[in-house]
Amino acid sequence: MATPIRRAAPAAAPPRTSSILQTLHATEMLDSKPALPAANPDQTKQNQTKPKLTRLVTPLLPSRAEILAAILDYLPVADQLRFARLSRRTREMVYDDSRWVARLRAMGCWDEAEARRRFDEAMVARRRRANPDKGGGNIAGGGHKRGGSLLFDAGVEEERRRAAAREKVLVEEVRDGFETIKVAGQAPAPAPAGGRDPSRDPEALLQVVGNVRSVRGHAREEYGKIYGALAPFYFDLVQARTHTDPLVFKVFRDPERQAQMLANLRIFARSDWAQGAQRREEKVDSMTAIFESAVLREFEQGYEFWDVDGRMRKYAHVLNLLNASSAAVELFIHKHPIFSDREVLANSMDCVNQAPADNITLEPSRRFFEVLLAKVNEQAAIIERIFPNPGPVFWAFVDKVREDVVVEYATPLFDETHERSVASYLRAVSGLFEQTLEFFRTVTAPKGAEAQQRTMAKELALKMFEPHLDLYLQDELDDFTAGAERTVSDYEKKLSEQEASTESFYMGSFSNRQADKKDFLTSFKKVVMMPVTVLPTSFGLPSFPLGSPFAGSKPTAAASTDGGSTSQAPGQEGSRSQSPAPPTPSAADRGSTPLPGKAPTDELAAKAALMTSRLEGIKSLFSIEIALSLVHAAKASLGRVAVFIQLGGQAGGEAREQCEAIFVALLRILGSRHVKPGFDRAVAHLSQYNPREVSEHDKGGVAPLVTFIELVNVGDLISQMIDVFYEQQLAGTKIADRNDFLDPAGLAKKKFEQMLDESVAAGLNKGIDVLMDEVEYLCATTQLPTDYNPGAANTAADPASSASASAPGEKHGSRMAVNTDIGPTRTAQRIRDLVASHTSMLVGSTDKSMLDVFNGEVGLRLFAAVCKHLKRQRVSTEGAIKLIADMNLYFEYVRTLKNNDLLDYFKALRELSQIYLIDARHAKEMATIIADGDRFGGIFRAEEVYEYAERRADWYQVRKDVERAMYGLECSVM
C-alpha cells in the first residue's frame, strides 16, 4: 500500500494542469518508502467516494512512486542526478543504495560476503563507541548482550541519523557523491581513487575497477568513482567513427594499457541500462575486436620468427587482459611444428612387424612415447615463458598431441591386430593404455598445473580409449572364455581317446562287442560257473582246499587259447595268467596311462585289466595342471583389464565388472566343465569296483579309494589356488568386496566351494562303500576258521565257516595250524590298518566338519561289517581270547577318531565278546549277561545278543541251560 502523505495547506486548490514537479514540492512524505500523491487533490476526494470494492482493489495497483522508481533504472546516470535535485524525496529515490549495488553487481564488482563482513565490523565499532565501559561485549550484527538480546537500539539509530545529516551538510549539492563529474560528456575531473588522482595519473584509471570496495550504504560513492573514471572514455569510444579516433588510444600508448582500459570499458558497459545501451555495447565490442585482431597479428608475426620472450610473450599478455587469449592459444597449438616432426611421427606397424607371427611387441611404442615425452616437456617450458596462465594452455596442447599424434599412432595398430589375432589386439590395447596413461602422468606440467595432472591424465586417456573400451572388454571376456573352454575340451578329448585306446587294446581281440559293453559282473557270473581248474587265481578267487566238494570236479573247458593259462588238476602248483596292472601315470603326464606290452587273451582278465586301468585313471580325471593354466590365463586377462579401473567413473566401473565376470567365467568352466565331471566319473568308476576282481590286496589300502583320495587332494589344492587368486587379485586390489554378500565374484566363489564339497562328499560316500567292500572281502578271505575256534578239526565241520577261504597265495596246510598267540588276529590288524590309512589320508585335505562326518560314517559301517562278520563265525571258549583281542583293537582305533558316540558302539561290541569266554557250566551267568540290556548301553537288545550267543561252538550243548535260565529270569522279573 502507498504510504499516507500529508499535504501542506495551500491557499487555493492547484489547477488540474499543474506539473508533477509542483505536486512533488507540495507534498511531505512521512516514510522513507517512495510514494507520491495523486495528480490533483480532487482525485483524493473522488477515491474516497468510490465503492468499497474499488477501494479494496486500488491498493493492489502500483503507486506512481513505484513506477517512477522503475523508470529511474533506465535513465542515464546524468538524468538521474538531475532528477535527484528536484526534492529531498526524489534524492532519496535516486540515492537508494540497492540501485547502485545492482549496477556494481552487474559489473561483477560487488562481493556480498565482503559487504557483510564490513557491515559487521562497523556495527561492532559503533557499539564499542556507544558502550565503552562494556568492552565490546555485543555480538556484531545481532545486538546480543550478556544480559539478554537487544533487537533495536534507539541510541545507535539516532547516532546514525545524525552522522548521515552531518555528511549531507558537508557534501555540496552539486557534487552529490559524483563530485566534479561533468554530466554533459565533457572531460571529467574525477576525485582521487585509492589515493591517486586519475586525471593526473593514468595508472589510477586502469585500476579503478579493481579498487572498488563492497560497503553497504556506500555503493553510490563506489560506482561514482568508476563512472567518473570510465564514462568519458566510454562515451568517446561510442562516438568514434574510426579505430584511431577513440581517446583511449591517445591517452594510453602502450598496448597492455590500452587492453586494460578496453577491458574496463567492456565491464563498465554492463552497467549501462539506458536507451541505446545495446548499440553502445556493440560499438565497444567491435572496437575491441579490431584491437584484438591487430594484437593477434602481432602475436602471429612473433610466432613465425619464434620470438618467445619478445612479441609472443608481450602480446599473449595483452590478449589475456582482454580475455581473448584463446585465439592466441589456438594459433600457437594449430601451427606448432611438433605435429609435423618426423622424429615424433613413428610407424605403429613396427609393433607387429618386429614380433613373431600372431604376436605383438610393445618396445617400438615405448620408444615412441619416450621421444614424444621429451618433445612435450620441452614445449611445456616454452608455454610457461609465453602465456601468463600456462596451465590451461599446456593441457590444451597435450590434448591436441593426443588427438593428432597418439590417436593416429594407436588406431591403425588396433585395427591391424584385431584383424590378425584377437590375443594380439588385447595385448595392444592394454599395453598402449598403460604407456599412454604413464605418458600423461609423467609430462612436466607448468607451475600451478601440477595439482590437476592426475585428473587430466585420466581424462585424456579416457578420451583416447573410450571408443575402443566396449569392444576391448567384450573381446577380453570372450577370448578368455573360448580359451578356457578349448583347454578343458582338449583335455577331455585326450582322456576320451586314451580310454577308447585302452578299451580297444584290452577288448579288441574279442568279437562280441555288444557283450563287452555290459557290466563286468555279468561276465563274471558267466565265468564263475566254469570248473575251478580253468579260473585264473589272479582275480582273487579262492582256491578250494582238499576235501572240498568242488575239489573232485573235472574241467570241462579250457579257459584260454594259445598263450593263455592251461588246465591243471586240483592242488597242482603252476603259473596262471595274471591280470595286467598298468603302471601309475607319471607326474609329467597324469592324463595318460602306459599300456602293457601284450593284451590278456582271457575275456575276464581283459575286463579286469580294463577296470583296473579305469580305476587307476581316476586321479587323472581332472588335472591341477589344467587348473593352473586356467588360473594363469585368468590372471593375465584380469591384469590387462584391471588397468582400466584407474579411469574411475563409468569406464572404471565397467572394467571392474568385467574383471569379476572373468573370475566368474573361470570358476564356471573350471568347476562345471572340469572338476565336477571328473568327480562324477570318479564316483561312477568307484561304483564298479569289486574286491573279488582284484588280484592284489596287500598294498596297504584300497587302490581305487586311495586314488580317489588323491583326487580329493587335487581338488583341495585347486580350491586353495582359487582362494589365493581371489584374495590377491580381486579382494586385495579392491576389485571385489569380500564383505558384500551380493558381490558376483564372492557368490561364484561360494558356489564353486559348495560344488566341490558336494562332489567330495558324494565321492567319499561311494568310497566308504568301496572301503567296506574291501573290509568284508578281507573278513571273508583272510579270517581262518581256527582263529576263533582253535579246536575245530577242519573248516567243513562248521557250516558257518564253509564260506571262509584262505588268503590268495596261502597253502591249504596253513589253515589247520593252531595259533597259540593271544593277540589280535592278522585279519583284524589288516582291517584296522586299512581303515586307519584311509581316514588319515583325508586329514588336512578336507574340511574338519566333513572329515568328522566321514570318520563317523566309516566307524558305523565298520561296526556293521564286524557284526556281520561275527555272525558268520564259530567262537569257542579258547578262541574267545582272540575275539576279545580283536574287539579291543577296533576299540582302540576308534578311540583315535575322538568320536564319543561312535566309541559307545565298539564298547558294546567289546562287552559282547565276553559271552564267548563264559564256560559252558555257567549257563545262568551267560543268560544274565544276555538279558542285561544296560550292559551294552542300549546298542544291542537281548534278542540280538542271543543271536550272537548262538555263534558259540558249544551252543547246542548249553542252549537248553541258557534258555531255561533266561526263562527263569523273565519269570522273576514278572
Side-chain angles (χ1 to χ4, degrees):
M1 294 179 62
T3 304
I5 59 176
R6 185 178 61 192
R7 296 179 180 276
R16 294 181 181 270
T17 58
S18 61
S19 65
I20 188 172
L21 296 178
Q22 295 176 353
T23 304
L24 290 176
H25 283 296
T27 59
E28 180 181 358
M29 303 184 68
L30 301 178
D31 198 353
S32 60
K33 182 177 179 181
L36 293 175
N40 55 68
D42 294 337
Q43 189 172 353
T44 304
K45 298 180 181 180
Q46 294 177 3
N47 290 338
Q48 294 177 356
T49 59
K50 288 182 179 180
K52 294 183 179 181
L53 181 61
T54 306
R55 290 200 301 268
L56 292 176
V57 175
T58 301
L60 301 179
L61 299 177
S63 64
R64 296 180 181 180
E66 293 174 349
I67 297 176
L68 289 175
I71 294 175
L72 284 177
D73 291 335
Y74 300 96
L75 287 179
V77 174
D79 293 342
Q80 291 188 30
L81 296 180
R82 295 189 182 98
F83 182 74
R85 297 171 186 171
L86 295 179
S87 67
R88 181 170 57 86
R89 295 305 178 186
T90 57
R91 184 180 62 181
E92 291 180 358
M93 294 175 63
V94 174
Y95 286 9
D96 186 13
D97 196 64
S98 61
R99 187 181 310 279
W100 307 103
V101 168
R103 291 181 181 270
L104 291 176
R105 185 177 287 113
M107 293 190 298
C109 299
W110 181 263
D111 187 357
E112 187 63 30
E114 179 186 355
R116 185 179 297 108
R117 178 178 57 81
R118 290 178 180 272
F119 176 77
D120 294 340
E121 293 175 355
M123 291 299 295
V124 170
R126 288 182 180 181
R127 295 184 187 282
R128 287 178 179 177
R129 290 194 301 268
N131 303 288
D133 54 335
K134 294 187 178 182
N138 300 338
I139 298 177
H144 294 288
K145 298 183 179 181
R146 296 180 181 178
S149 62
L150 184 62
L151 299 180
F152 180 78
D153 191 342
V156 173
E157 292 297 325
E158 183 63 23
E159 180 65 25
R160 184 180 66 82
R161 290 180 180 273
R162 292 177 181 176
R166 288 194 299 268
E167 180 181 0
K168 293 179 181 179
V169 172
L170 293 176
V171 178
E172 297 181 2
E173 185 178 0
V174 293
R175 298 172 66 182
D176 283 332
F178 293 92
E179 299 179 353
T180 56
I181 292 179
K182 300 297 183 180
V183 296
Q186 300 175 1
R196 304 168 69 178
D197 187 359
S199 62
R200 299 179 180 179
D201 187 2
E203 290 294 333
L205 297 175
L206 301 178
Q207 304 299 329
V208 67
V209 175
N211 293 331
V212 174
R213 299 178 304 165
S214 299
V215 183
R216 290 179 180 176
H218 296 276
R220 177 176 52 83
E221 289 86 342
E222 297 298 325
Y223 182 78
K225 297 175 184 178
I226 299 176
Y227 190 89
L230 301 182
F233 294 98
Y234 177 74
F235 291 109
D236 177 75
L237 184 66
V238 168
Q239 297 173 0
R241 296 184 178 182
T242 63
H243 64 278
T244 59
D245 294 339
L247 183 64
V248 63
F249 299 124
K250 297 177 181 179
V251 175
F252 304 99
R253 309 302 299 176
D254 185 66
E256 293 186 8
R257 296 183 178 182
Q258 293 174 349
Q260 181 65 52
M261 179 54 70
L262 288 176
N264 291 341
L265 294 180
R266 294 175 68 176
I267 295 174
F268 179 75
R270 300 173 190 170
S271 65
D272 184 8
W273 300 338
Q275 184 177 7
Q278 182 177 2
R279 178 182 58 81
R280 289 190 291 273
E281 185 175 2
E282 291 176 354
K283 186 62 178 293
V284 172
D285 291 339
S286 63
M287 194 64 68
T288 304
I290 295 174
F291 180 78
E292 289 177 1
S293 300
V295 173
L296 187 61
R297 284 195 300 270
E298 294 293 334
F299 178 83
E300 185 176 4
Q301 292 179 3
Y303 189 83
E304 293 176 356
F305 292 98
W306 201 246
D307 188 6
V308 174
D309 297 320
R311 284 183 289 179
M312 292 179 67
R313 174 183 175 85
K314 176 180 179 180
Y315 293 108
H317 283 68
V318 171
L319 291 173
N320 183 70
L321 293 174
L322 294 172
N323 293 327
S325 58
S326 58
V329 172
E330 293 179 2
L331 177 63
F332 177 84
I333 293 176
H334 284 82
K335 297 186 66 175
H336 202 281
I338 194 174
F339 301 110
S340 59
D341 193 343
R342 293 184 176 272
E343 296 182 8
V344 174
L345 302 179
N347 185 12
S348 60
M349 291 298 103
D350 294 341
C351 297
V352 177
N353 299 332
Q354 297 179 10
D358 295 335
N359 205 340
I360 187 174
T361 176
L362 297 179
E363 183 62 25
S365 62
R366 185 189 62 81
R367 294 193 298 267
F368 162 75
F369 280 107
E370 286 181 354
V371 174
L372 184 61
L373 179 63
K375 295 286 185 179
V376 172
N377 287 340
E378 180 182 353
Q379 298 306 312
I382 296 176
I383 291 174
E384 189 172 4
R385 289 158 55 188
I386 296 175
F387 296 96
N389 189 16
V393 181
F394 173 75
W395 290 118
F397 174 73
V398 174
D399 187 28
K400 185 64 175 178
V401 170
R402 172 200 62 81
E403 182 179 357
D404 289 0
V405 179
V406 182
V407 172
E408 294 297 329
Y409 178 86
T411 302
L413 179 62
F414 294 161
D415 296 339
E416 183 67 22
T417 53
H418 194 273
E419 293 179 359
R420 292 190 178 186
S421 172
V422 177
S424 300
Y425 168 75
L426 299 177
R427 286 192 291 272
V429 174
S430 180
L432 278 182
F433 173 78
E434 286 188 282
Q435 293 177 349
T436 303
L437 187 61
E438 185 66 19
F439 164 74
F440 290 140
R441 286 178 174 176
T442 54
V443 292
T444 305
K447 294 180 180 179
E450 301 90 344
Q452 57 179 346
Q453 183 161 357
R454 295 187 64 86
T455 304
M456 291 301 302
K458 293 180 181 179
E459 181 180 343
L460 296 175
L462 179 61
K463 284 183 180 180
M464 176 177 173
F465 285 89
E466 189 174 13
H468 308 278
L469 192 57
D470 293 339
L471 177 62
Y472 164 75
L473 293 178
Q474 189 61 42
D475 284 351
E476 190 71 66
L477 179 60
D478 294 343
D479 182 71
F480 169 75
T481 304
E485 295 275 4
R486 185 168 54 252
T487 301
V488 173
S489 299
D490 292 344
Y491 187 79
E492 293 178 350
K493 182 179 179 181
K494 183 179 180 181
L495 289 182
S496 300
E497 292 176 352
Q498 179 188 349
E499 185 176 355
S501 176
T502 303
E503 183 177 359
S504 176
F505 175 78
Y506 286 116
M507 309 301 297
S509 59
F510 304 102
S511 58
N512 190 1
R513 304 303 300 173
Q514 295 297 328
D516 295 339
K517 297 182 178 297
K518 295 181 180 179
D519 188 81
F520 174 76
L521 184 58
T522 305
S523 300
F524 178 75
K525 290 179 178 179
K526 293 179 181 179
V527 182
V528 78
M529 302 306 297
M530 292 183 179
V532 178
T533 55
V534 302
L535 295 178
T537 60
S538 60
F539 301 105
L541 298 177
S543 58
F544 298 97
L546 293 176
S548 173
F550 298 100
S553 301
K554 296 182 179 180
T556 58
S560 60
T561 58
D562 297 339
S565 61
T566 58
S567 302
Q568 295 180 351
Q572 182 180 1
E573 299 295 335
S575 62
R576 298 177 183 269
S577 62
Q578 300 293 326
S579 303
T584 304
S586 62
D589 190 6
R590 300 177 66 94
S592 61
T593 303
L595 299 175
K598 185 177 181 181
T601 56
D602 183 80
E603 181 181 5
L604 190 60
K607 285 181 175 282
L610 179 60
M611 187 193 69
T612 303
S613 176
R614 289 177 177 176
L615 292 176
E616 289 184 351
I618 286 178
K619 56 188 173 183
S620 64
L621 292 178
F622 59 81
S623 171
I624 193 172
E625 287 84 1
I626 296 298
L628 187 61
S629 65
L630 295 183
V631 168
H632 278 303
K635 180 180 179 181
S637 181
L638 191 145
R640 290 192 296 266
V641 177
V643 298
F644 290 92
I645 299 179
Q646 306 174 66
L647 294 175
Q650 182 179 356
E654 292 176 356
R656 179 177 284 103
E657 292 176 358
Q658 206 71 350
C659 289
E660 294 187 342
I662 292 173
F663 181 73
V664 171
L666 167 67
L667 297 186
R668 176 178 57 83
I669 297 173
L670 184 60
S672 302
R673 289 291 314 277
H674 189 59
V675 176
K676 190 176 187 302
F679 272 115
D680 294 342
R681 288 193 295 268
V683 173
H685 291 338
L686 282 176
S687 63
Q688 299 174 1
Y689 175 78
N690 190 343
R692 295 184 178 275
E693 300 168 2
V694 180
S695 59
E696 298 181 5
H697 294 270
D698 295 328
K699 294 183 178 181
V702 184
L705 184 55
V706 173
T707 305
F708 179 79
I709 292 177
E710 291 182 3
L711 190 69
V712 172
N713 292 332
V714 173
D716 182 66
L717 288 176
I718 293 176
S719 178
Q720 294 180 12
M721 185 190 310
I722 293 298
D723 187 68
V724 171
F725 180 80
Y726 174 82
E727 291 295 332
Q728 292 184 353
Q729 302 298 323
L730 295 172
T733 56
K734 305 300 182 182
I735 295 176
D737 185 4
R738 62 171 65 91
N739 298 322
D740 185 5
F741 67 95
L742 295 178
D743 185 70
L747 292 176
K749 181 173 176 289
K750 292 179 181 178
K751 185 177 180 181
F752 176 81
E753 293 173 349
Q754 181 180 1
M755 178 276 300
L756 193 61
D757 292 340
E758 292 175 354
S759 300
V760 171
L764 292 179
N765 184 47
K766 184 59 66 176
I768 293 175
D769 296 338
V770 172
L771 181 61
M772 292 302 110
D773 290 343
E774 186 72 14
V775 169
E776 292 180 0
Y777 175 78
L778 291 177
C779 291
T781 58
T782 63
Q783 191 77 68
L784 299 178
T786 58
D787 287 343
Y788 300 147
N789 190 9
N794 52 62
T795 57
D798 191 349
S801 62
S802 62
S804 301
S806 62
E810 293 183 355
K811 294 185 178 180
H812 177 69
S814 63
R815 290 177 173 269
M816 304 305 298
V818 177
N819 190 359
T820 60
D821 185 14
I822 62 175
T825 62
R826 181 172 178 269
T827 301
Q829 292 177 353
R830 291 185 62 181
I831 292 175
R832 192 275 312 269
D833 295 339
L834 175 69
V835 177
S837 64
H838 286 85
T839 54
S840 62
M841 288 180 185
L842 294 173
V843 176
S845 62
T846 57
D847 186 68
K848 185 180 183 300
S849 59
M850 183 181 294
L851 182 62
D852 293 340
V853 173
F854 177 77
N855 291 338
E857 185 67 20
V858 168
L860 289 176
R861 297 284 292 275
L862 177 62
F863 172 80
V866 172
C867 293
K868 182 179 179 181
H869 175 61
L870 187 56
K871 289 181 179 180
R872 294 176 180 175
Q873 304 300 316
R874 281 295 178 184
V875 185
S876 64
T877 305
E878 296 80 5
I881 298 176
K882 283 281 188 181
L883 179 62
I884 293 174
D886 288 351
M887 298 303 109
N888 286 331
L889 182 66
Y890 294 141
F891 179 82
E892 292 300 327
Y893 162 69
V894 173
R895 189 195 298 272
T896 61
L897 299 180
K898 299 179 181 180
N899 190 329
N900 295 329
D901 295 336
L902 186 62
L903 195 61
D904 293 338
Y905 285 88
F906 285 87
K907 186 183 296 183
L909 195 60
R910 187 176 60 178
E911 295 293 333
L912 179 65
S913 63
Q914 303 293 330
I915 65 175
Y916 301 105
L917 193 61
I918 302 175
D919 192 82
R921 295 172 297 178
H922 305 289
K924 185 176 181 180
E925 287 77 1
M926 191 184 304
T928 303
I929 294 175
I930 293 174
D932 188 6
D934 296 336
R935 185 182 184 90
F936 305 102
I939 304 299
F940 295 110
R941 301 191 306 272
E943 295 82 358
E944 295 176 338
V945 179
Y946 182 82
E947 292 179 2
Y948 286 105
E950 291 178 345
R951 305 312 302 166
R952 286 178 60 98
D954 56 354
W955 176 250
Y956 294 103
Q957 300 175 11
V958 301
R959 176 180 179 180
K960 293 182 180 180
D961 298 334
V962 173
E963 291 179 350
R964 187 182 300 111
M966 292 181 66
Y967 180 75
L969 291 173
E970 292 178 359
C971 292
S972 63
V973 172
M974 296 177 61

